[in-house]
Amino acid sequence: MDLNQLSQSVIEGNAGEVERLTKEFLSGGIEPKDVLNSGLISAMNVVGRKFKDGEYFLPEVLLSARAMKVGMEILKPELSRTGVEPVGKVVIGTVKGDLHDIGKNIVASMLEGAGFQVIDLGVDVSADKFINAVRENSANILGMSALLTTTMVSMKDVIQSLQENNLRDSVEVIVGGAPLSEKYAKDIGADGYAPDATSAATLCKEIVQ
Ligand code: B1M
């Protein structure tokens, strides 16, 4: 079984093939993590490169994103299979003005797989929405994702808002997304940064230990 076939189907935006192949690989005993990393995520990197090089335009990127989502929906229950009490609560979302959610959804699935209860606020999440969700759920961790250099700046406002609402000491803030870095996370006053979904799960586990 060749995971490149799956990657190629994501790159071509062929959701039907992605559905068929993802199911086939899982039932064939391939690890869900390998299907995710080598089949789906690697494909989006290629799509990103094609978009940057002007070979792909938004419609092609959207088709690939949609195909990726189909694969993710099938993988999600496999990644989240756990059966133990939640080890902590994480509120997660993509920041205001930003509609990218593929990476955030993978992080959320990994966290569920690691035993966390995840409250996913979706995309384009305002500071108020983050604050209310942290308060209402007594979350241990707030996770923010951003994929655009123009939207990542609003993470700082959310942290500021946590302070103004006397919630900063009760919640650990972690951030991630392609344009971010460890340094940026420090500069805005976040408690942690994770470059990918696996490190995000490791980081959250360290936080609640
Ligand atoms: Co957009 N887009 N996009 N896009 N898009 C990027 C991000 C871009 C880098 C493409 C490029 O120019 N090369 C560029 C941003 C440039 C910049 O700001 N530096 C860009 C642009 C410019 C735009 C628009 C402005 C285009 C336009 O309209 N002219 C527009 C903005 C819309 C908006 O948000 N307001 C736009 C739109 C879109 C689509 C809607 C078409 C689609 C999104 C669909 C969706 O998400 N539902 C899309 C896509 C798919 C991409 C690329 C091609 C792929 C992103 C992706 O899903 N990657 C992207 C290029 C690229 O990244 N190579 C691009 C796969 C995913 C698994 O990786 O999201 O990085 P990623 O997540 C990783 C890590 O970052 C990390 O873990 C994840 C898994 O390992 N991580 C976290 C993420 N969040 C985390 C949170 C954590 C911890 C880790 O803790 C909480």
Side-chain angles (χ1 to χ4, degrees):
M1 280 191 251
D2 183 5
L3 283 166
N4 282 330
Q5 264 181 290
L6 178 58
S7 281
Q8 198 50 41
S9 304
V10 174
I11 295 165
E12 287 166 6
N14 187 340
E17 269 300 279
V18 170
E19 181 177 358
R20 187 184 71 75
L21 288 168
T22 306
K23 285 179 177 164
E24 196 176 296
F25 286 130
L26 287 177
S27 61
I30 308 280
E31 281 294 315
K33 252 198 222 166
D34 293 336
V35 179
L36 174 69
N37 291 324
S38 309
L40 300 180
I41 292 184
S42 60
M44 286 314 286
N45 292 337
V46 177
V47 172
R49 262 200 313 275
K50 285 181 182 287
F51 185 46
K52 201 171 172 192
D53 295 346
E55 196 185 325
Y56 267 18
F57 295 95
L58 280 178
E60 286 94 348
V61 178
L62 266 177
L63 279 179
S64 293
R66 225 169 274 163
M68 164 109 185
K69 276 195 171 168
V70 168
M72 271 311 293
E73 282 307 308
I74 299 164
L75 270 184
K76 208 175 158 183
E78 301 299 323
L79 293 168
S80 323
R81 205 189 297 279
T82 154
V84 291
E85 279 295 296
V87 293
K89 278 189 202 174
V90 183
V91 163
I92 195 167
T94 302
V95 297
K96 193 161 178 51
D98 201 323
L99 303 176
H100 296 86
D101 66 355
I102 296 172
K104 184 265 298 165
N105 292 345
I106 295 172
V107 172
S109 297
M110 285 286 183
L111 289 175
E112 284 173 354
F116 287 89
Q117 181 187 341
V118 176
I119 298 109
D120 187 347
L121 303 179
V123 297
D124 191 21
V125 180
S126 66
D128 282 352
K129 205 168 169 195
F130 275 124
I131 303 298
N132 289 338
V134 165
R135 189 184 286 120
E136 281 162 18
N137 295 285
S138 307
N140 310 92
I141 298 167
L142 168 62
M144 289 185 277
S145 177
L147 262 287
L148 299 171
T149 44
T150 47
T151 57
M152 66 186 203
V153 289
S154 73
M155 290 175 166
K156 196 177 174 188
D157 302 334
V158 177
I159 295 174
Q160 174 81 34
S161 204
L162 281 172
Q163 257 149 11
E164 287 162 10
N165 284 275
N166 298 318
L167 287 168
R168 185 66 189 92
D169 293 338
S170 64
V171 69
E172 298 278 313
V173 179
I174 71 155
V175 293
L180 276 81
S181 64
E182 190 90 54
K183 182 182 179 309
Y184 184 75
K186 263 205 185 106
D187 288 349
I188 61 169
D191 301 299
Y193 159 75
D196 54 50
T198 312
S199 351
T202 307
L203 179 62
C204 288
K205 278 193 263 179
E206 283 167 6
I207 287 173
V208 294
Q209 258 163 19

